Amino acid sequence: MPMTGGEIESAIKAALPEAIVVLTDLAGDNDHWAAEVIAPQFAGKNRVQQHKMVYEALGGRMGGALHALQLTTKVPT
């Protein structure tokens, strides 16, 4: 069963409480998502480290309940 947008956002915000999460369902199937995550916790981290933080927040559901995630991460300005 695919993860809903609400479940994805909740998981990310649980790990990164100050994050702003903007989700787009790319295929209209709740299985292919684009996420923009803006979080102060990303400060001083490179892009790979930022993405790893988001993947860790999803608790190993990538490739299972969450089939595809196009991820953009940013530090707030």
Side-chain angles (χ1 to χ4, degrees):
M1 178 178 208
M3 286 182 79
T4 67
E7 291 170 327
I8 295 167
E9 183 174 1
S10 292
I12 294 170
K13 286 190 169 196
L16 304 166
E18 299 174 57
I20 298 167
V21 180
V22 179
L23 292 167
T24 304
D25 185 348
L26 296 174
D29 61 1
N30 269 344
D31 208 22
H32 296 81
W33 291 96
E36 179 179 44
V37 182
I38 304 166
Q41 295 91 333
F42 294 153
K45 307 262 192 293
N46 65 38
R47 184 97 7 132
V48 172
Q49 292 168 322
Q50 293 172 9
H51 285 210
K52 185 176 178 183
M53 290 171 72
V54 174
Y55 293 138
E56 287 173 355
L58 296 169
R61 289 174 267 190
M62 279 300 305
L66 181 55
H67 177 72
L69 181 66
Q70 177 185 325
L71 184 58
T72 302
T73 54
K74 299 177 182 177
V75 177
T77 53

